[in-house]
Amino acid sequence: DQATHNKIVSFIWGIADDVLRDLFKRGKYPDVILPMCVIRRMDAVLGGLYIVVQFLGGVVGAFMLWLMVEQFDVVDQTGALGSNGYGDAGGINLTGALVVEVLLTMFFVLAVLLLTDKAASAAMAGVGIGAALSAVHLIGIGLTGTSVNPARSFGPALFAGGTALEQVWVFLLAPAVGGLLAAVVYPLTRAADVVEAPAVETPEGDKRAPDGA
């Protein structure tokens, strides 16, 4: 049934997140680029490059999904390549979709920021972030399909077109707002000596002290 399906998808997302985030460079989370730049953990130029690359990856992934459905007779059970939606295309209205996506993104990004600061255990970061993403999907899949990542929403909407493309602005705006709110809340949860900005990584891979440090 749908509830079981949602739980399985959430579990798979959590495991994938846990594995991949530990496999790649620690502390670099493309879906939280904006708040990372705000709290000066990432250079703005490098952050911009991450954003471009992530959106390109989302488009390429969505194209592969579209190709499988259109050319290889793979059944699209969502009817819109897994696009996010609200109203008739989701399980919640426009206002609710905005609120849900903002809050879920804020929760997830805040979890990432807290689990990767210098007071946290690096060994537990992947597990904690994976668990947070699983929780986000358990809550959001039945409501909006769960975005919390604009690039994840943009690619499928681009190829699905129609209602998905008309509604994608919600899933570009709400995660950005949620990420910024997390960047505002994060310093309030930590002691002053803990939230001191670490060295910022530049596109060349160098480390430099943040501005004003």
Side-chain angles (χ1 to χ4, degrees):
D1 57 24
Q2 189 61 43
T4 301
H5 174 266
N6 290 349
K7 291 178 181 179
I8 293 174
V9 171
S10 300
F11 178 74
I12 293 173
W13 267 109
I15 293 297
D17 188 76
D18 185 1
V19 173
L20 293 177
R21 289 180 190 281
D22 263 359
L23 181 62
F24 294 110
K25 294 180 181 178
R26 289 184 181 275
K28 292 184 177 178
Y29 302 101
D31 51 347
V32 291
I33 293 169
L34 189 57
M36 286 286 192
C37 291
V38 170
I39 65 172
R40 296 184 295 171
R41 281 197 194 175
M42 182 179 290
D43 181 83
V45 174
L46 183 61
L49 291 175
Y50 267 108
I51 290 173
V52 171
V53 171
Q54 191 181 12
F55 269 86
L56 287 175
V59 170
V60 172
F63 171 73
M64 294 176 63
L65 181 60
W66 173 84
L67 190 66
M68 288 166 52
V69 171
E70 294 297 321
Q71 301 298 322
F72 305 141
D73 297 327
V74 173
V75 178
D76 179 8
Q77 298 187 13
T78 70
L81 300 178
S83 296
N84 302 111
Y86 58 86
D88 293 338
I92 197 169
N93 63 22
L94 170 58
T95 302
L98 284 166
V99 172
V100 165
E101 287 292 334
V102 167
L103 292 179
L104 290 181
T105 305
M106 183 177 72
F107 165 76
F108 176 61
V109 173
L110 188 59
V112 172
L113 296 179
L114 290 172
L115 287 166
T116 57
D117 72 17
K118 63 182 182 181
S121 169
M124 293 300 296
V127 175
I129 293 169
L133 191 62
S134 293
V136 163
H137 278 81
L138 280 172
I139 296 169
I141 285 179
L143 300 175
T144 64
T146 309
S147 172
V148 303
N149 186 342
R152 169 263 180 273
S153 299
F154 179 74
L158 186 64
F159 288 94
T163 299
L165 193 56
E166 292 173 1
Q167 296 184 353
V168 73
W169 67 271
V170 171
F171 306 102
L172 300 179
L173 175 63
V177 173
L180 288 174
L181 287 176
V184 172
V185 173
Y186 165 69
L188 303 178
T189 67
R190 314 304 293 157
D193 61 330
V194 173
V195 298
E196 181 182 352
V200 176
E201 184 163 353
T202 65
E204 293 76 21
D206 300 325
K207 297 283 188 176
R208 64 172 174 81
D211 296 337

